[in-house]
Amino acid sequence: MTTANNLLHEPLCVFAGIYLVKITRSEIAAQRISVILLVDQITNSVRNLHCFSHQKEANNTYNCENLGLTGVPDTLPNTTEFLEFGFNFLPTLENTTFTRLVDLIFLDLTRCQINWVHEDTFQNHHQLNTIVLTGNPLIFMAETSLNGPTSLQHLFLIQTGISNLEFIPSQNLENLESLYLGSNHISSIKFPENFPTQNLKVLDFQNNAIHYLSREDLRALEKTTNLSLNFNGNDIKGIEAGAFHSKIFQSLNFGGTLNLSVVLKGLQNSTTQSLWLGSYEDTDDEDLTSAMFDGLCEMSVESINLQKQYISDISSATFRCFTQLQELDLTANHLNELPSGIEGMKALKKLVLNVNIFDQLCQISAASFPSLLDLSIKGNKRKLDLGAGCLKKLENLQKLDLSHSDIEASDCCNLQLKNLSHLQYLNLSYNEPLGLQSQAFKECPRLEGLDLAFTRWYVKGPQSPFQNLHILQVLNLSHCLLDTSNQHLLTGLVDLRHLNLQGNHFQDGSISKTNLLQTLRSLEILILSSCDLLSIDKQAFQSLGKLSHVDLSYNNLMGNSIDALSHLQGIYLNMAANNIHVIPSHLLPTLTQQSTINLSHNPLDCTCSNIHFITWYKENLQKFEGSEDTKCANPPSLKGVKLSDVKLSCGITAMGIFFLVVFLFLIAILLIFSVKFLLRWKYQHI
């Protein structure tokens, strides 16, 4: 189901310089002509087209997108609450358009070629919470067009051709919390005098033509509290002094602005929790100087994002006004080191240094950030040397992400992670081969999550590298080319709840009775997909009594492998894309006691040899996901038919009964003649 939160992704794509659909005025005219011609060919029966009801949600959610509709289908229930009606043809909205759907809460009318929204269009929709008019070439909205809903909170007018805020009807917007006006032609954010802004929490002006912000423009926002204000992609060239004076914001976004000194100077005496000053791949880089950040000393801010900026004269003085920051994002800043001697940044809790060009971990000057809890150096563009004790001053660090950084170490990881005794999450995925010592993470006994996915590693000692991780709960070892024959590999993980072994291989394609999983008695989620498994011993998972989620998809398992789960109840079982042809009837009780099952993309037999399973499947459809792709493979006449649609007749046919009667009749005659022969022989020999 689409929600107001989901729709936030559309503006995010737009201000990243990516347009999924970019429509010019000439294109709109051409599209309208083609749509009109199409509609002329549609018969009246189109109004009875069936909309899709989301199966995983309540029946009051319907998707009628892209069906060529010109009105509400007669098949749509009156009780519909969430309606996705985008990409149809509704040039005019009137008070009769949706009058039958009085329970509407969410209405998405994206790209329906709407030009006119008349008076009292939503007068009967008192519960309507969200209206999406994205991508409609609006010409007119009546002042009372939004009257009716008692709690309209979210209004999307993205890409609607608006050039002036007076176009937006102001009646009945007292409860409005979010207003999205991205990708329009707005040059001034001055609202009409009576426009209700007091409850606004999100105001989005991204990708408009706003270049100057005056005190008069901002006066309408004086009553708002904790507002998220987005000017992304507008290239602000000037801000009147005092425009933001004493104003408090949740977040401010000036992404894509070339002259950041104008922004920082204009924000003097303001307060915001988050300040976004990043740039983009399709934006020309402009070198920043340390002096540009002097304006930060005159405002209160907790988090700053400087994505894809470049500070030409970076030094310890650059960070003079960063002392109150709690979060700092310097992604893709062309950094090969952070200067030593940075002072006063004891409040910093999160530091992001992704996609830079460090050679060694010690080059980040970790000692300058003693209170750091979260450090990310993901996607480093050079091979990153972990060094020795480079992070030892970060004794409070809880989260460390070093993934995608070409890290290679033959003797890991105690020396490299020295003094990180509070570390709870470590990501070393997508790196070069690592040699892990016995108790490789002895310096991090409080680890709760460890990700080594797609990093090949080998054990350098006789003991498990995880032996001291007694509270580790999540371990990702997918595609690590593990030695799964080592039964002691996972020893010590007494509290492990989630284990991902996807893409690893077991000897002879089989999980035997004695295996590396036996010590994981607390395990709840086990992922063994794409492991080329052929079979699983009946006792293989016997010690894993707490399992609630088992993923065995994309292997070559047969139906009898289900027997390994006979001791489990209420689990989610994914056996999609295996080699299951027939499921014997004695295994049906095992399936019956599970909560959700996926058998899609298996070559299932739809013959009488599988009749017991097919019958049981139809009786338990509510247990299955992927039913649309659970199809027959045999016999050829039923190939591709959904299992739920198969009808087999496996009893004795009329012809069979005829031959059976004939057979029994012949047997009876033979028996009679045999008795008569025996009796005659007996009398002849008296």
PDB file of all heavy atoms in Angstrom, residues 549-573:
ATOM      1  N   HIS A 549      12.087 -19.190  11.487  1.00  0.00           N
ATOM      2  CA  HIS A 549      12.212 -18.766  10.079  1.00  0.00           C
ATOM      3  C   HIS A 549      13.320 -19.593   9.443  1.00  0.00           C
ATOM      4  O   HIS A 549      14.481 -19.507   9.857  1.00  0.00           O
ATOM      5  CB  HIS A 549      12.544 -17.272  10.023  1.00  0.00           C
ATOM      6  CG  HIS A 549      12.676 -16.722   8.632  1.00  0.00           C
ATOM      7  ND1 HIS A 549      11.828 -15.763   8.129  1.00  0.00           N
ATOM      8  CD2 HIS A 549      13.571 -16.982   7.636  1.00  0.00           C
ATOM      9  CE1 HIS A 549      12.190 -15.462   6.892  1.00  0.00           C
ATOM     10  NE2 HIS A 549      13.248 -16.185   6.573  1.00  0.00           N
ATOM     11  N   VAL A 550      12.974 -20.379   8.424  1.00  0.00           N
ATOM     12  CA  VAL A 550      13.963 -21.201   7.735  1.00  0.00           C
ATOM     13  C   VAL A 550      13.851 -20.942   6.234  1.00  0.00           C
ATOM     14  O   VAL A 550      12.792 -21.146   5.634  1.00  0.00           O
ATOM     15  CB  VAL A 550      13.749 -22.703   8.015  1.00  0.00           C
ATOM     16  CG1 VAL A 550      14.794 -23.531   7.263  1.00  0.00           C
ATOM     17  CG2 VAL A 550      13.821 -22.990   9.510  1.00  0.00           C
ATOM     18  N   ASP A 551      14.947 -20.491   5.637  1.00  0.00           N
ATOM     19  CA  ASP A 551      14.978 -20.199   4.199  1.00  0.00           C
ATOM     20  C   ASP A 551      15.896 -21.207   3.520  1.00  0.00           C
ATOM     21  O   ASP A 551      17.114 -21.172   3.674  1.00  0.00           O
ATOM     22  CB  ASP A 551      15.479 -18.776   3.966  1.00  0.00           C
ATOM     23  CG  ASP A 551      15.356 -18.349   2.499  1.00  0.00           C
ATOM     24  OD1 ASP A 551      15.113 -19.228   1.646  1.00  0.00           O
ATOM     25  OD2 ASP A 551      15.498 -17.149   2.226  1.00  0.00           O
ATOM     26  N   LEU A 552      15.296 -22.118   2.754  1.00  0.00           N
ATOM     27  CA  LEU A 552      16.029 -23.144   2.014  1.00  0.00           C
ATOM     28  C   LEU A 552      15.829 -22.966   0.506  1.00  0.00           C
ATOM     29  O   LEU A 552      15.995 -23.916  -0.263  1.00  0.00           O
ATOM     30  CB  LEU A 552      15.559 -24.537   2.440  1.00  0.00           C
ATOM     31  CG  LEU A 552      15.830 -24.918   3.905  1.00  0.00           C
ATOM     32  CD1 LEU A 552      15.047 -26.156   4.289  1.00  0.00           C
ATOM     33  CD2 LEU A 552      17.317 -25.138   4.127  1.00  0.00           C
ATOM     34  N   SER A 553      15.494 -21.782   0.084  1.00  0.00           N
ATOM     35  CA  SER A 553      15.166 -21.526  -1.312  1.00  0.00           C
ATOM     36  C   SER A 553      16.394 -21.624  -2.214  1.00  0.00           C
ATOM     37  O   SER A 553      17.533 -21.530  -1.764  1.00  0.00           O
ATOM     38  CB  SER A 553      14.513 -20.149  -1.458  1.00  0.00           C
ATOM     39  OG  SER A 553      15.399 -19.137  -1.027  1.00  0.00           O
ATOM     40  N   TYR A 554      16.151 -21.838  -3.497  1.00  0.00           N
ATOM     41  CA  TYR A 554      17.189 -21.887  -4.524  1.00  0.00           C
ATOM     42  C   TYR A 554      18.265 -22.933  -4.219  1.00  0.00           C
ATOM     43  O   TYR A 554      19.457 -22.667  -4.249  1.00  0.00           O
ATOM     44  CB  TYR A 554      17.805 -20.498  -4.735  1.00  0.00           C
ATOM     45  CG  TYR A 554      16.822 -19.527  -5.316  1.00  0.00           C
ATOM     46  CD1 TYR A 554      16.053 -18.711  -4.488  1.00  0.00           C
ATOM     47  CD2 TYR A 554      16.616 -19.448  -6.688  1.00  0.00           C
ATOM     48  CE1 TYR A 554      15.099 -17.842  -5.009  1.00  0.00           C
ATOM     49  CE2 TYR A 554      15.673 -18.578  -7.224  1.00  0.00           C
ATOM     50  CZ  TYR A 554      14.925 -17.786  -6.378  1.00  0.00           C
ATOM     51  OH  TYR A 554      13.995 -16.931  -6.906  1.00  0.00           O
ATOM     52  N   ASN A 555      17.805 -24.131  -3.889  1.00  0.00           N
ATOM     53  CA  ASN A 555      18.674 -25.287  -3.748  1.00  0.00           C
ATOM     54  C   ASN A 555      18.156 -26.373  -4.684  1.00  0.00           C
ATOM     55  O   ASN A 555      17.408 -26.096  -5.616  1.00  0.00           O
ATOM     56  CB  ASN A 555      18.713 -25.751  -2.294  1.00  0.00           C
ATOM     57  CG  ASN A 555      19.534 -24.823  -1.416  1.00  0.00           C
ATOM     58  OD1 ASN A 555      20.751 -24.728  -1.576  1.00  0.00           O
ATOM     59  ND2 ASN A 555      18.878 -24.117  -0.489  1.00  0.00           N
ATOM     60  N   ASN A 556      18.570 -27.616  -4.447  1.00  0.00           N
ATOM     61  CA  ASN A 556      18.113 -28.752  -5.256  1.00  0.00           C
ATOM     62  C   ASN A 556      17.500 -29.834  -4.372  1.00  0.00           C
ATOM     63  O   ASN A 556      17.691 -31.025  -4.599  1.00  0.00           O
ATOM     64  CB  ASN A 556      19.285 -29.327  -6.065  1.00  0.00           C
ATOM     65  CG  ASN A 556      19.772 -28.369  -7.138  1.00  0.00           C
ATOM     66  OD1 ASN A 556      19.033 -28.019  -8.050  1.00  0.00           O
ATOM     67  ND2 ASN A 556      21.019 -27.929  -7.013  1.00  0.00           N
ATOM     68  N   LEU A 557      16.773 -29.404  -3.363  1.00  0.00           N
ATOM     69  CA  LEU A 557      16.197 -30.327  -2.393  1.00  0.00           C
ATOM     70  C   LEU A 557      14.961 -31.011  -2.947  1.00  0.00           C
ATOM     71  O   LEU A 557      14.187 -30.429  -3.712  1.00  0.00           O
ATOM     72  CB  LEU A 557      15.835 -29.570  -1.113  1.00  0.00           C
ATOM     73  CG  LEU A 557      17.025 -28.961  -0.342  1.00  0.00           C
ATOM     74  CD1 LEU A 557      16.516 -28.027   0.750  1.00  0.00           C
ATOM     75  CD2 LEU A 557      17.899 -30.059   0.245  1.00  0.00           C
ATOM     76  N   MET A 558      14.776 -32.241  -2.514  1.00  0.00           N
ATOM     77  CA  MET A 558      13.581 -33.001  -2.865  1.00  0.00           C
ATOM     78  C   MET A 558      12.558 -32.847  -1.736  1.00  0.00           C
ATOM     79  O   MET A 558      12.841 -32.312  -0.666  1.00  0.00           O
ATOM     80  CB  MET A 558      13.939 -34.474  -3.066  1.00  0.00           C
ATOM     81  CG  MET A 558      15.056 -34.708  -4.058  1.00  0.00           C
ATOM     82  SD  MET A 558      14.541 -34.473  -5.760  1.00  0.00           S
ATOM     83  CE  MET A 558      13.711 -36.018  -6.060  1.00  0.00           C
ATOM     84  N   GLY A 559      11.367 -33.379  -1.954  1.00  0.00           N
ATOM     85  CA  GLY A 559      10.301 -33.242  -0.968  1.00  0.00           C
ATOM     86  C   GLY A 559      10.597 -33.886   0.360  1.00  0.00           C
ATOM     87  O   GLY A 559      10.167 -33.402   1.416  1.00  0.00           O
ATOM     88  N   ASN A 560      11.379 -34.983   0.360  1.00  0.00           N
ATOM     89  CA  ASN A 560      11.633 -35.677   1.628  1.00  0.00           C
ATOM     90  C   ASN A 560      12.516 -34.880   2.583  1.00  0.00           C
ATOM     91  O   ASN A 560      12.650 -35.231   3.754  1.00  0.00           O
ATOM     92  CB  ASN A 560      12.246 -37.057   1.367  1.00  0.00           C
ATOM     93  CG  ASN A 560      13.499 -36.994   0.494  1.00  0.00           C
ATOM     94  OD1 ASN A 560      14.047 -35.920   0.264  1.00  0.00           O
ATOM     95  ND2 ASN A 560      13.921 -38.157   0.012  1.00  0.00           N
ATOM     96  N   SER A 561      13.142 -33.790   2.107  1.00  0.00           N
ATOM     97  CA  SER A 561      13.950 -32.936   2.995  1.00  0.00           C
ATOM     98  C   SER A 561      13.096 -32.242   4.045  1.00  0.00           C
ATOM     99  O   SER A 561      13.608 -31.785   5.072  1.00  0.00           O
ATOM    100  CB  SER A 561      14.711 -31.900   2.180  1.00  0.00           C
ATOM    101  OG  SER A 561      15.622 -32.511   1.302  1.00  0.00           O
ATOM    102  N   ILE A 562      11.806 -32.159   3.798  1.00  0.00           N
ATOM    103  CA  ILE A 562      10.894 -31.520   4.755  1.00  0.00           C
ATOM    104  C   ILE A 562      10.891 -32.269   6.080  1.00  0.00           C
ATOM    105  O   ILE A 562      10.608 -31.690   7.134  1.00  0.00           O
ATOM    106  CB  ILE A 562       9.474 -31.453   4.151  1.00  0.00           C
ATOM    107  CG1 ILE A 562       9.479 -30.541   2.921  1.00  0.00           C
ATOM    108  CG2 ILE A 562       8.451 -30.964   5.163  1.00  0.00           C
ATOM    109  CD1 ILE A 562       8.185 -30.556   2.128  1.00  0.00           C
ATOM    110  N   ASP A 563      11.263 -33.549   6.042  1.00  0.00           N
ATOM    111  CA  ASP A 563      11.263 -34.364   7.255  1.00  0.00           C
ATOM    112  C   ASP A 563      12.210 -33.817   8.316  1.00  0.00           C
ATOM    113  O   ASP A 563      12.034 -34.061   9.509  1.00  0.00           O
ATOM    114  CB  ASP A 563      11.646 -35.802   6.901  1.00  0.00           C
ATOM    115  CG  ASP A 563      11.036 -36.807   7.869  1.00  0.00           C
ATOM    116  OD1 ASP A 563      10.123 -36.420   8.633  1.00  0.00           O
ATOM    117  OD2 ASP A 563      11.474 -37.969   7.858  1.00  0.00           O
ATOM    118  N   ALA A 564      13.227 -33.060   7.900  1.00  0.00           N
ATOM    119  CA  ALA A 564      14.185 -32.490   8.857  1.00  0.00           C
ATOM    120  C   ALA A 564      13.552 -31.424   9.740  1.00  0.00           C
ATOM    121  O   ALA A 564      14.145 -30.997  10.738  1.00  0.00           O
ATOM    122  CB  ALA A 564      15.370 -31.899   8.100  1.00  0.00           C
ATOM    123  N   LEU A 565      12.330 -30.984   9.391  1.00  0.00           N
ATOM    124  CA  LEU A 565      11.650 -29.919  10.139  1.00  0.00           C
ATOM    125  C   LEU A 565      10.477 -30.451  10.947  1.00  0.00           C
ATOM    126  O   LEU A 565       9.681 -29.676  11.472  1.00  0.00           O
ATOM    127  CB  LEU A 565      11.151 -28.852   9.158  1.00  0.00           C
ATOM    128  CG  LEU A 565      12.198 -28.300   8.179  1.00  0.00           C
ATOM    129  CD1 LEU A 565      11.534 -27.472   7.101  1.00  0.00           C
ATOM    130  CD2 LEU A 565      13.245 -27.479   8.914  1.00  0.00           C
ATOM    131  N   SER A 566      10.374 -31.759  11.070  1.00  0.00           N
ATOM    132  CA  SER A 566       9.201 -32.366  11.709  1.00  0.00           C
ATOM    133  C   SER A 566       9.052 -31.986  13.176  1.00  0.00           C
ATOM    134  O   SER A 566       7.946 -32.027  13.724  1.00  0.00           O
ATOM    135  CB  SER A 566       9.260 -33.890  11.572  1.00  0.00           C
ATOM    136  OG  SER A 566      10.442 -34.390  12.187  1.00  0.00           O
ATOM    137  N   HIS A 567      10.147 -31.605  13.833  1.00  0.00           N
ATOM    138  CA  HIS A 567      10.082 -31.252  15.257  1.00  0.00           C
ATOM    139  C   HIS A 567       9.736 -29.780  15.476  1.00  0.00           C
ATOM    140  O   HIS A 567       9.612 -29.332  16.621  1.00  0.00           O
ATOM    141  CB  HIS A 567      11.418 -31.558  15.929  1.00  0.00           C
ATOM    142  CG  HIS A 567      12.559 -30.716  15.411  1.00  0.00           C
ATOM    143  ND1 HIS A 567      13.034 -30.830  14.116  1.00  0.00           N
ATOM    144  CD2 HIS A 567      13.304 -29.741  16.006  1.00  0.00           C
ATOM    145  CE1 HIS A 567      14.027 -29.968  13.933  1.00  0.00           C
ATOM    146  NE2 HIS A 567      14.206 -29.294  15.062  1.00  0.00           N
ATOM    147  N   LEU A 568       9.589 -28.998  14.392  1.00  0.00           N
ATOM    148  CA  LEU A 568       9.337 -27.564  14.506  1.00  0.00           C
ATOM    149  C   LEU A 568       7.871 -27.245  14.243  1.00  0.00           C
ATOM    150  O   LEU A 568       7.209 -27.912  13.448  1.00  0.00           O
ATOM    151  CB  LEU A 568      10.210 -26.796  13.518  1.00  0.00           C
ATOM    152  CG  LEU A 568      11.721 -26.960  13.692  1.00  0.00           C
ATOM    153  CD1 LEU A 568      12.466 -26.318  12.538  1.00  0.00           C
ATOM    154  CD2 LEU A 568      12.174 -26.352  15.021  1.00  0.00           C
ATOM    155  N   GLN A 569       7.394 -26.176  14.897  1.00  0.00           N
ATOM    156  CA  GLN A 569       6.010 -25.745  14.719  1.00  0.00           C
ATOM    157  C   GLN A 569       5.946 -24.235  14.553  1.00  0.00           C
ATOM    158  O   GLN A 569       6.731 -23.498  15.150  1.00  0.00           O
ATOM    159  CB  GLN A 569       5.146 -26.159  15.919  1.00  0.00           C
ATOM    160  CG  GLN A 569       4.998 -27.647  16.097  1.00  0.00           C
ATOM    161  CD  GLN A 569       4.068 -27.994  17.246  1.00  0.00           C
ATOM    162  OE1 GLN A 569       3.484 -27.109  17.868  1.00  0.00           O
ATOM    163  NE2 GLN A 569       3.926 -29.278  17.522  1.00  0.00           N
ATOM    164  N   GLY A 570       4.993 -23.773  13.730  1.00  0.00           N
ATOM    165  CA  GLY A 570       4.728 -22.342  13.590  1.00  0.00           C
ATOM    166  C   GLY A 570       5.825 -21.556  12.911  1.00  0.00           C
ATOM    167  O   GLY A 570       5.952 -20.348  13.124  1.00  0.00           O
ATOM    168  N   ILE A 571       6.629 -22.206  12.063  1.00  0.00           N
ATOM    169  CA  ILE A 571       7.737 -21.490  11.436  1.00  0.00           C
ATOM    170  C   ILE A 571       7.337 -20.944  10.069  1.00  0.00           C
ATOM    171  O   ILE A 571       6.352 -21.378   9.463  1.00  0.00           O
ATOM    172  CB  ILE A 571       8.982 -22.387  11.277  1.00  0.00           C
ATOM    173  CG1 ILE A 571       8.743 -23.461  10.198  1.00  0.00           C
ATOM    174  CG2 ILE A 571       9.389 -23.003  12.583  1.00  0.00           C
ATOM    175  CD1 ILE A 571      10.017 -24.194   9.803  1.00  0.00           C
ATOM    176  N   TYR A 572       8.125 -19.986   9.594  1.00  0.00           N
ATOM    177  CA  TYR A 572       8.065 -19.533   8.201  1.00  0.00           C
ATOM    178  C   TYR A 572       9.048 -20.405   7.432  1.00  0.00           C
ATOM    179  O   TYR A 572      10.247 -20.434   7.738  1.00  0.00           O
ATOM    180  CB  TYR A 572       8.448 -18.058   8.090  1.00  0.00           C
ATOM    181  CG  TYR A 572       8.680 -17.609   6.663  1.00  0.00           C
ATOM    182  CD1 TYR A 572       7.632 -17.131   5.896  1.00  0.00           C
ATOM    183  CD2 TYR A 572       9.949 -17.681   6.084  1.00  0.00           C
ATOM    184  CE1 TYR A 572       7.833 -16.727   4.579  1.00  0.00           C
ATOM    185  CE2 TYR A 572      10.162 -17.283   4.776  1.00  0.00           C
ATOM    186  CZ  TYR A 572       9.101 -16.808   4.021  1.00  0.00           C
ATOM    187  OH  TYR A 572       9.302 -16.426   2.729  1.00  0.00           O
ATOM    188  N   LEU A 573       8.558 -21.119   6.429  1.00  0.00           N
ATOM    189  CA  LEU A 573       9.391 -22.047   5.672  1.00  0.00           C
ATOM    190  C   LEU A 573       9.414 -21.649   4.202  1.00  0.00           C
ATOM    191  O   LEU A 573       8.388 -21.645   3.526  1.00  0.00           O
ATOM    192  CB  LEU A 573       8.854 -23.474   5.819  1.00  0.00           C
ATOM    193  CG  LEU A 573       9.537 -24.551   4.961  1.00  0.00           C
ATOM    194  CD1 LEU A 573      11.017 -24.653   5.298  1.00  0.00           C
ATOM    195  CD2 LEU A 573       8.849 -25.897   5.142  1.00  0.00           C
TER     196      LEU A 573
END
